[in-house]
Amino acid sequence: LVPGDVIVLDEGEKVPADCRLLETVSLRVDESQLTGESLPVSKQTEPVSEDRELYERTNMVYQGSFIIGGQATALVVGTGNATEFGKLAVLSTGKSDESPVQRRIANLISVLVKVIAAISFVAFALSMYRGMDVAEATRFVLALAVSAVPESLPIAITVILVLGMRRMAKKKALVKSPEAIETIGIVTAIASDKTGTLTKNMLTVQQIWNHDPNERDILESIARSLLSASSKTRDPLDVAMEQYIPKAKRFSAKGIAGTLPFDQLMAMSGNVWSNNGGYTLWIKGSPEQVIERSELSAYEREVAHNQVKSMAANGLRVLALAHVTTDKIISGFDELPKKGRLTFGGLIGVADELRPEAHAAIVRAHRAGIRVCMVTGDHFETAFHIGRQLGIAETRDEVFDCRKMHEMTDEELEKVVQNIRVFSRVIPEDKHRLLVILKRSQIVAMTGDGVNDVPALTGAHVGIAMGGGTGIAKDAGDIILIDNNFRSIVNAVHEGRTVYANIKRMVAYLLSTNAGEVLVALGALIAGIPIPVIAVQILWVNLVTDTCMVIPLGLEPGEKRNMLKPPQKPNAPLFSRFMLSRMVLTATTMAALTLGIYAVFLGQHGVDYARAIAFNALVVMQWASAINSRSDYEPLYKRIRKPNGAFYAGLSIAILCQVVAMAGPLHEALHIFAIPSISDLFATSAIAFIVPIAIIELHKWIGRKYFAKGAR
């Protein structure tokens, strides 16, 4: 197809291009994948204003939408990238942002590199001042620099993220981008599409009413007014009504003598049934039209109209039912008398069914300090009603009609959206703009399942697509919920927060222990005593001890308090001041103990003996630091009862490697003096293990008492 072609569209067909309608016969189109509106849209050929929104352009049909009923002749006006779908592709392109966690770690590492460069320069100068030759000083400074840099961190984070992806897959969340696990853990806002995400994208009958209550009669009216399935694509209203009727109440379509498809002018559809030599027309349609043409008293009309208003206020799409007996087959609604012949059958209220687990998941997200917003193409009142049912919005002041966005600057819009929880009448461009505004102050996850969600999915920090959604939405998302369950989003947040907390543990462990090694070397140079740990021993500590302990720390089980505290602010640093003080305390404790033990044995037994004791003590303190790092605030006696097989396996390997280094064949390669007194080794090991744990446990107690909200 090219612009200028004229095409004929029939019921059940997919629209192949953007088209201007030339002729229509009761045309109704499903545009939910493009606009998010669940209900079919009636189309006509009259001109409409150019500034109308997408969902108000009733004389146009768009690529990817489906013809629910009727026929049309249309002029092709756009194909490929010139279609509304093509415009979405433009909004969906662009370089992806670095994840907030990566950015925080990168900022920390950039500062660390500058500090290490300065320390290396000072260490080299002190080495030369203390009489080292240039080669030995260079080896020592290089080893010191290696010890200060957490070189195992990138590999460790990658392993943790991959294992996290596997765990999330078991929970029905397929993660396409490892960075998404980091980011989902610090999300502060979830902007959720309504159709297919918070709802099932499946219309269901929610309420029926008859002024003369008789459920049997109204069920018969519903069953006989259903249009038969003439194609693969049926009107969702007919599908919803058919599913509501028990199988025992259904009728065979063989009794239908004629069908009247939806008439846009009369806003009605129905079937003509044979009836003992006569015929009965069973109708469903607009309540205003049906009530006006029914045999009802003035009082009965008022009651019926009030009931329509009541059902509409509850977010229901209302249809009226009626029937009339004739002596011939009616071929069109224009053959009906204008007043007083229809027998009123009642009202039926239809709505998109909410996912039963959505409300509980939203409550859990709120408890975790996450702001949940609903983004929908529905009318203001419908959006408010659904938002209130889900617990997202309580008052109309928390609902915003996005048609006002086009008259507002970004600064004005940013002020408005701070207190908004439900966005109604949203088109794809609006979603993209809302995400840009929200990202200024929030870390945003966007959920969706349709083509109209693609720009927002790609623009959000984390795009969460539904497994039952369109292929393009799944391609655009970072995480795909295989079970289409909104609750899985909150589970993903919990898993993400666990991974994020574990990454922080790994970084804190590596930086604090590496800093301790640096302080040991600098302290010895400043004091003018021989270096307690030589270059090859420093490399052993980093390559063996750190590697065995850092990945198991990243596999710690999650804490309940992870979902009972608000997420960090987007501009917050990786570590709080309290945790920075923990790292400084760990490093200084390691350095002070190592230098103290080294100084004692240096005076009694000489350099080689003291160096072997100090090296062993430094390694044991690394183990103690790893045990301390298993939790930020939880006391050791509680944390040790929580299973983490990987941690105990890593600790066992680290201990075995150290035994081999101290007493096995590696002691010569590592220049470790064979210590004859086992009692000295055990005594110093006990001190190196107990003292750091006792000090950090005291620090945790202070944190629980004064700093950690919800830690107890």
Side-chain angles (χ1 to χ4, degrees):
L1 294 177
V2 295
D5 286 346
V6 176
I7 61 176
V8 177
L9 299 170
D10 204 348
E11 182 177 336
E13 293 182 342
K14 183 178 182 180
V15 180
D18 286 6
C19 303
R20 171 67 162 88
L21 294 171
L22 303 178
E23 297 177 0
T24 62
V25 178
S26 302
L27 185 65
R28 305 178 76 203
V29 182
D30 178 2
E31 296 181 342
S32 61
Q33 295 296 335
L34 190 61
T35 65
E37 173 61 62
S38 303
L39 297 170
V41 180
S42 298
K43 297 290 186 176
Q44 48 84 38
T45 59
E46 295 300 319
V48 297
S49 174
E50 291 183 358
D51 58 357
R52 290 287 183 90
E53 300 297 349
L54 187 67
Y55 45 77
E56 295 177 329
R57 300 173 194 168
T58 54
N59 60 357
M60 295 286 295
V61 290
Y62 298 100
Q63 178 187 357
S65 55
F66 291 88
I67 307 300
I68 294 298
Q71 298 174 331
T73 303
L75 175 70
V76 175
V77 298
T79 59
N81 289 336
T83 63
E84 291 297 326
F85 276 27
K87 294 177 183 177
L88 295 181
V90 174
L91 292 176
S92 305
T93 58
K95 185 178 180 180
S96 59
D97 296 333
E98 185 181 41
S99 77
V101 177
Q102 289 177 324
R103 189 162 53 248
R104 292 175 183 179
I105 294 177
N107 293 338
L108 182 64
I109 295 300
S110 64
V111 173
L112 183 63
V113 168
K114 296 175 183 177
V115 172
I116 292 171
I119 290 175
S120 299
F121 178 79
V122 172
F124 184 80
L126 286 173
S127 300
M128 297 300 295
Y129 178 75
R130 294 302 180 188
M132 281 190 186
D133 61 73
V134 176
E136 182 63 25
T138 301
R139 274 197 302 272
F140 170 74
V141 170
L142 287 176
L144 190 66
V146 169
S147 72
V149 175
E151 68 281 348
S152 60
L153 187 60
I155 296 175
I157 290 178
T158 301
V159 171
I160 297 310
L161 292 178
V162 169
L163 294 176
M165 292 172 69
R166 189 172 69 173
R167 288 197 303 272
M168 290 182 70
K170 293 179 180 179
K171 297 179 180 179
K172 307 299 182 182
L174 180 64
V175 181
K176 295 168 55 183
S177 169
E179 293 79 11
I181 300 181
E182 301 173 319
T183 309
I184 194 71
I186 56 174
V187 156
T188 61
I190 298 174
S192 176
D193 177 54
K194 183 211 72 173
T195 306
T197 308
L198 296 171
T199 68
K200 294 183 177 181
N201 195 18
M202 181 176 65
L203 295 177
T204 58
V205 175
Q206 304 285 329
Q207 184 178 352
I208 59 173
W209 179 87
N210 190 354
H211 69 288
D212 182 15
N214 189 325
E215 189 174 355
R216 180 179 179 181
D217 287 345
I218 197 168
L219 287 177
E220 182 179 4
S221 296
I222 295 172
R224 292 188 181 276
S225 65
L226 292 176
L227 301 184
S228 60
S230 59
S231 67
K232 293 182 180 179
T233 304
R234 292 188 65 191
D235 190 325
L237 291 171
D238 283 320
V239 175
M241 293 165 65
E242 184 177 49
Q243 291 177 345
Y244 180 76
I245 305 168
K247 290 185 178 180
K249 301 289 185 181
R250 298 179 186 178
F251 300 91
S252 172
K254 294 179 180 179
I256 297 178
T259 295
L260 276 65
F262 182 79
D263 185 298
Q264 187 168 318
L265 182 63
M266 300 293 292
M268 296 181 189
S269 66
N271 293 315
V272 179
W273 290 74
S274 301
N275 182 22
N276 297 326
Y279 301 94
T280 303
L281 172 62
W282 296 84
I283 297 170
K284 67 177 186 299
S286 163
E288 292 78 11
Q289 291 277 8
V290 174
I291 293 173
E292 179 65 24
R293 292 172 177 270
S294 296
E295 291 182 328
L296 297 172
S297 66
Y299 173 75
E300 290 173 334
R301 290 178 192 273
E302 183 180 358
V303 171
H305 281 301
N306 289 337
Q307 183 64 28
V308 171
K309 292 178 182 178
S310 174
M311 294 170 72
N314 289 326
L316 301 180
R317 168 77 177 271
V318 185
L319 298 175
L321 303 166
H323 64 275
V324 60
T325 301
T326 66
D327 55 2
K328 65 176 183 177
I329 298 177
I330 295 177
S331 59
F333 287 105
D334 54 346
E335 299 178 26
L336 288 175
K338 292 186 178 180
K339 290 186 179 181
R341 284 291 306 278
L342 302 182
T343 301
F344 186 65
L347 301 174
I348 180 169
V350 181
D352 194 354
E353 185 177 358
L354 298 179
R355 292 189 178 276
E357 69 282 348
H359 183 273
I362 289 169
V363 170
R364 190 179 173 203
H366 286 161
R367 288 176 181 171
I370 299 173
R371 173 184 174 185
V372 179
C373 301
M374 184 178 76
V375 183
T376 177
D378 284 333
H379 294 279
F380 183 96
E381 288 297 330
T382 303
F384 168 62
H385 175 74
I386 295 174
R388 185 172 57 183
Q389 280 186 303
L390 291 168
I392 297 176
E394 295 181 357
T395 65
R396 286 179 170 79
D397 294 337
E398 296 176 312
V399 184
F400 179 68
D401 190 331
C402 288
R403 287 177 291 189
K404 301 176 184 177
M405 286 176 55
H406 310 288
E407 303 172 359
M408 304 172 67
T409 64
D410 286 352
E411 288 69 25
E412 292 172 335
L413 184 60
E414 186 175 6
K415 293 179 181 178
V416 170
V417 301
Q418 297 302 320
N419 299 317
I420 299 300
R421 297 294 180 268
V422 176
F423 297 91
S424 67
R425 276 309 188 190
V426 181
I427 60 176
E429 290 84 355
D430 293 341
K431 287 186 180 182
H432 187 266
R433 187 182 176 195
L434 284 172
L435 260 295
V436 172
I437 297 297
L438 287 171
K439 284 172 66 177
R440 292 182 178 182
S441 58
Q442 306 277 347
I443 296 176
V444 185
M446 170 68 194
T447 71
D449 67 338
V451 177
N452 60 315
D453 301 318
V454 170
L457 286 171
T458 56
H461 289 109
V462 183
I464 304 175
M466 297 294 145
T470 60
I472 191 172
K474 288 185 281 189
D475 287 342
D478 301 304
I479 298 175
I480 300 173
L481 301 184
I482 301 173
D483 59 353
N484 293 343
N485 195 329
F486 188 84
R487 180 176 54 202
S488 298
I489 299 174
V490 182
N491 292 337
V493 170
H494 187 202
E495 184 65 35
R497 287 192 175 187
T498 300
V499 170
Y500 177 62
N502 288 340
I503 289 175
K504 288 173 61 177
R505 288 190 182 101
M506 293 190 300
V507 175
Y509 167 74
L510 287 173
L511 292 185
S512 59
T513 54
N514 290 0
E517 296 168 23
V518 172
L519 290 178
V520 168
L522 288 180
L525 289 173
I526 293 171
I529 58 178
I531 302 299
V533 185
I534 61 176
V536 68
Q537 294 170 350
I538 291 176
L539 294 177
W540 171 266
V541 172
N542 279 268
L543 294 176
V544 178
T545 307
D546 283 354
T547 303
C548 290
M549 302 309 304
V550 69
I551 292 179
L553 278 175
L555 300 176
E556 280 294 315
E559 300 180 39
K560 290 182 179 180
R561 65 181 299 271
N562 285 345
M563 294 300 288
L564 296 175
K565 63 179 181 179
Q568 284 189 321
K569 295 180 180 179
N571 58 351
L574 187 64
F575 295 107
S576 65
R577 292 181 180 178
F578 179 77
M579 291 308 298
L580 286 174
S581 69
R582 169 85 53 82
M583 295 162 62
V584 171
L585 183 61
T586 300
T588 53
T589 300
M590 287 180 61
L593 271 179
T594 303
L595 289 172
I597 292 172
Y598 177 69
V600 169
F601 285 90
L602 180 64
Q604 296 177 358
H605 301 282
V607 174
D608 292 338
Y609 194 100
R611 185 169 283 164
I613 292 290
F615 168 67
N616 184 70
L618 183 62
V619 170
V620 172
M621 279 185 272
Q622 297 256 21
W623 304 340
S625 177
I627 293 173
N628 285 329
S629 299
R630 289 193 64 192
S631 69
D632 295 341
Y633 298 100
E634 194 174 31
L636 178 61
Y637 71 89
K638 286 186 178 181
R639 193 64 183 180
I640 204 169
R641 289 181 291 181
K642 294 187 177 179
N644 183 356
F647 180 84
Y648 295 118
L651 182 61
S652 300
I653 293 172
I655 293 173
L656 179 61
C657 289
Q658 185 62 15
V659 170
V660 172
M662 294 297 296
L666 291 177
H667 75 280
E668 292 184 3
L670 296 175
H671 303 287
I672 299 172
F673 181 79
I675 300 174
S677 176
I678 300 299
S679 60
D680 287 345
L681 197 60
F682 275 103
T684 53
S685 296
I687 294 172
F689 187 77
I690 295 172
V691 172
I693 288 180
I695 292 174
I696 300 305
E697 282 299 304
L698 177 61
H699 192 264
K700 287 182 182 180
W701 178 83
I702 295 172
R704 290 194 299 274
K705 189 171 180 63
Y706 298 106
F707 296 99
K709 295 179 180 179
R712 288 175 289 179

